Amino acid sequence: MEANTRGTGRLPAAFLTPGSSSFTEFLADYQPELLPSRRGLPATPVTVEAPHGTTIVAVTFPGGVVMAGDRRATMGNLIAQRDIEKVFPADEYSCVGIAGTAGLAVEMVKLFQVELEHYEKIEGTTMSLEGKANRLTQMIRGNLPMAMQGLAVVPLFAGYDLDAGVGRIYSYDITGGRSDEQQGYTSVGSGSLFARGALKKLYRDDLNADQAVTVCVQALYDAADDDSATGGPDLSRKIFPIVTVVTDEGLSRWTDEQVGAVVRTIVDARLVRPDGPNAPLN
Amino acid sequence: MTTPFYVSPQQAMADRADYARKGIARGRSVVVLTYADGILFVAENPSRALHKMSEIYDRIAFAAVGKYNEFENLRIGGVRYADIRGYSYARHDVTARGLANVYAQTLGTIFSSGGEKPYEVELIVAEVGAAPGDDQIYRLTYDGSIADEQHYVAMGGNADQITEQLKRTHREGLPLGEALRVAVDVLGRDGSGEKRTITAAQLEVAVLDRTRTQDRKFKRIVGTQLARLLGEGATAAGVEAESDAEDGDSSAE
């Protein structure tokens, strides 16, 4: 009811003021308390354990980009949730994956999704991919004080650039520093070191969409192999990584059956060779 | 010294209503009607950029006639209202009824306050339901009156004549192509019954399509799909299948 009970029931003046096509800016004027960045800071660094999201990987291929994330959230040494979703559609041509404090990260993603949709509706056109990446930068900056108190959020953003006709990946640090990942793959989160190693050996620039998905799932497997906070594919519970593919036809999330088939192939191969595919020496 | 004239409240309101009505009557009409898979919006509007109809939220769209700057303001207000509601509650909690009420309050307050000029606009807020019986169409006038319309509604210059004709030609459950041709046909008849041909380039067409898989059901129909839907004669039975196949093409408008 916040939206319409102030005053006479008519739309408040703020709603009818032309100008900004940003939802965040509108909220900052009208209901700043709804913005994550306007909340009070915890007085001391946070020592309680809040659920943390872990590893996200992304790989580009000619014609698009794949993003995948494992399903584990941890709280210290505990598994807080084994089927958390950490890769979300941002809009029709981009997706965002999150590592870090899960509660804050999910809220940031929700605001980011509304921000993009709001812009699209008001302007009548979609925001450029660079523009979307920039909006996300600003949200991470807004969370910087929280990050300094121990509640960091580090997203990974990927999308299809309709103007250039290529898939792109943007990675961030907790201060909002952004880098356009030109080498075609990247990873974030606690298992990212191991995932990156795997990606480095498996990536080539002529992958198709299905192969790119396999590369991502292999990398997540390797991350789970060496990082206790990253969840491996759970065959008994049928909990598989979230996989989204973005191409010029838009974003599609792979179904559990599709991902399950990839996972089974990989797991079967690992039964023979637990460390995964062998890269040539030279 | 001059004595201020006494103007009766009736007269003052009648003058304001007259003023608003004249402004609205100058513009071309917009037609909104239900079809088999949702709600169709058709307007004669040669501009590609200045829209008369737009998306508000998942299942809700907006159409307007009258002064552009005024209804554009209301449209933006509506998008903000819907997004803030959807963000702080849930997407499902944003309803056409709620939005129509807010618009009615807004227009009504502006109309009866002495300090502001009345808005010269008429609006339609429509929400597509899960089944044809759940579709809702609300029509709002410059003074804040709100009407719950069934099946079809026209507003703008020739609204009365168009509604008259729609009464004869509109049927429930028409496929998209036929519904579109019904709408274009009535838009092309002016007061004297003379018929003009309206080409695809002069039309702005959009649908709220309940069969879309995305949450956001609003879609503009442009380019080849529009030309094809217009061009098909009443004989073409494959309209639905084809328009569905084309779904992906123009959804990114």
Side-chain angles (χ1 to χ4, degrees), chain A:
Chain A
M1 286 294 139
E2 285 95 330
N4 67 351
T5 48
R6 298 186 181 183
T8 58
R10 70 182 270 187
L11 284 172
F15 282 69
L16 298 175
T17 313
S20 172
S21 45
S22 161
F23 183 67
T24 320
E25 281 167 25
F26 171 66
L27 273 190
D29 265 357
Y30 180 67
Q31 273 196 316
E33 69 275 15
L34 284 181
L35 280 181
S37 56
R38 298 298 178 93
R39 281 193 206 120
L41 275 182
T44 53
V46 178
T47 49
V48 294
E49 296 286 358
H52 267 62
T54 46
T55 312
I56 310 288
V57 296
V59 167
T60 60
F61 61 91
V65 59
V66 176
M67 184 182 283
D70 75 305
R71 304 292 292 272
R72 183 168 292 178
T74 57
M75 224 157 55
N77 63 319
L78 296 180
I79 293 170
Q81 194 180 345
R82 59 175 98 257
D83 63 349
I84 189 172
E85 300 197 359
K86 294 180 284 187
V87 177
F88 303 89
D91 64 359
E92 207 165 329
Y93 290 99
S94 61
C95 54
V96 57
I98 45 154
T101 314
L104 297 180
V106 170
E107 186 184 27
M108 185 186 287
V109 168
K110 196 174 156 199
L111 183 58
F112 185 54
Q113 288 167 330
V114 180
E115 175 82 11
L116 298 188
E117 182 186 326
H118 189 79
Y119 179 94
E120 193 182 321
K121 288 190 288 200
I122 297 228
E123 295 286 318
T125 171
T126 49
M127 205 187 293
S128 67
L129 194 65
E130 180 91 20
K132 294 174 197 171
N134 257 328
R135 296 307 301 172
L136 191 54
T137 302
Q138 284 154 30
M139 288 184 190
I140 299 164
R141 293 239 160 88
N143 192 56
L144 184 58
M146 281 291 204
M148 290 301 145
Q149 299 288 56
L151 299 173
V153 175
V154 186
L156 187 61
F157 178 66
Y160 186 80
D161 188 335
L162 288 162
D163 301 324
V166 294
R168 284 190 201 287
I169 306 171
Y170 296 92
S171 66
Y172 298 85
D173 60 38
I174 56 164
T175 62
R178 174 173 61 112
S179 67
D180 180 355
E181 296 293 342
Q182 297 288 353
Q183 81 271 31
Y185 58 86
T186 195
S187 59
V188 291
S190 63
S192 61
L193 292 181
F194 309 110
R196 190 182 302 254
L199 289 171
K200 208 184 269 181
K201 299 295 172 222
L202 293 171
Y203 178 79
R204 55 218 63 170
D205 52 19
D206 61 347
L207 297 167
N208 62 31
D210 292 2
Q211 290 169 324
V213 170
T214 305
V215 169
C216 286
V217 179
Q218 288 276 21
L220 286 175
Y221 193 107
D222 282 322
D225 209 14
D226 289 306
D227 170 37
S228 62
T230 304
D234 191 336
L235 287 168
S236 54
R237 292 193 184 82
K238 299 197 172 44
I239 300 171
F240 303 126
I242 303 275
V243 174
T244 58
V245 180
V246 191
T247 64
D248 61 348
E249 286 172 5
L251 177 143
S252 70
R253 183 177 149 171
W254 277 31
T255 61
D256 276 350
E257 288 73 42
Q258 288 173 301
V259 182
V262 176
V263 164
R264 276 190 201 91
T265 317
I266 290 174
V267 171
D268 286 346
R270 300 250 176 173
L271 292 176
V272 182
R273 211 194 118 67
D275 290 342
N278 222 347
L281 274 184
N282 287 303

Side-chain angles (χ1 to χ4, degrees), chain A residues 1-4 9-11 14-17 20 23 26-27 30-31 92 110 117-118 120-122, chain B residues 55-57 73 75-77 79-81 83-84 87 89 91 102 105-106 109-110 116 214 216 251-252:
Chain A
M1 286 294 139
E2 285 95 330
N4 67 351
R10 70 182 270 187
L11 284 172
F15 282 69
L16 298 175
T17 313
S20 172
F23 183 67
F26 171 66
L27 273 190
Y30 180 67
Q31 273 196 316
E92 207 165 329
K110 196 174 156 199
E117 182 186 326
H118 189 79
E120 193 182 321
K121 288 190 288 200
I122 297 228
Chain B
E55 173 183 16
I56 296 283
Y57 210 65
N73 248 359
R75 180 185 76 89
I76 291 176
V79 170
R80 287 173 175 164
Y81 164 85
D83 277 345
I84 205 170
Y87 179 69
Y89 291 70
R91 293 194 81 90
V102 173
Q105 292 299 338
T106 307
T109 325
I110 292 171
E116 289 175 271
Q214 294 99 318
R216 293 165 67 184
S251 57

Side-chain angles (χ1 to χ4, degrees), chain B residues 58-132:
Chain B
D58 292 354
R59 292 163 292 132
I60 304 171
F62 167 100
V65 293
K67 266 194 108 178
Y68 181 79
N69 67 321
E70 291 175 351
F71 70 68
E72 174 69 3
N73 248 359
L74 288 168
R75 180 185 76 89
I76 291 176
V79 170
R80 287 173 175 164
Y81 164 85
D83 277 345
I84 205 170
R85 171 64 68 93
Y87 179 69
S88 51
Y89 291 70
R91 293 194 81 90
H92 191 75
D93 297 326
V94 182
T95 61
R97 198 190 56 79
L99 181 66
N101 271 327
V102 173
Y103 276 146
Q105 292 299 338
T106 307
L107 286 168
T109 325
I110 292 171
F111 181 75
S112 49
S113 89
E116 289 175 271
K117 87 166 199 47
Y119 271 23
E120 299 161 66
V121 296
E122 262 182 63
L123 312 180
I124 286 171
V125 176
E127 175 172 345
V128 67

Side-chain angles (χ1 to χ4, degrees), chain B residues 31-43 53-63 126-128 135 174-180 183 204-212 215-222 225-226 229 239-240 243-244 246-247 250-251 253:
Chain B
V31 174
V32 178
L33 61 167
T34 56
Y35 74 102
D37 292 329
I39 300 171
L40 171 68
F41 300 76
V42 186
M53 53 197 70
S54 339
E55 173 183 16
I56 296 283
Y57 210 65
D58 292 354
R59 292 163 292 132
I60 304 171
F62 167 100
E127 175 172 345
V128 67
D135 293 342
L174 285 176
L176 178 58
E178 263 180 69
L180 176 62
E204 182 183 354
V205 181
V207 288
L208 279 169
D209 179 352
R210 75 177 115 256
T211 63
R212 266 168 83 80
D215 281 342
R216 293 165 67 184
K217 308 294 184 197
F218 182 85
K219 187 184 147 209
R220 292 189 190 281
I221 296 183
V222 290
Q225 190 189 5
L226 176 58
L229 285 171
V239 176
E240 282 314 283
S243 71
D244 284 349
E246 189 106 345
D247 234 29
S250 44
S251 57
E253 36 100 14

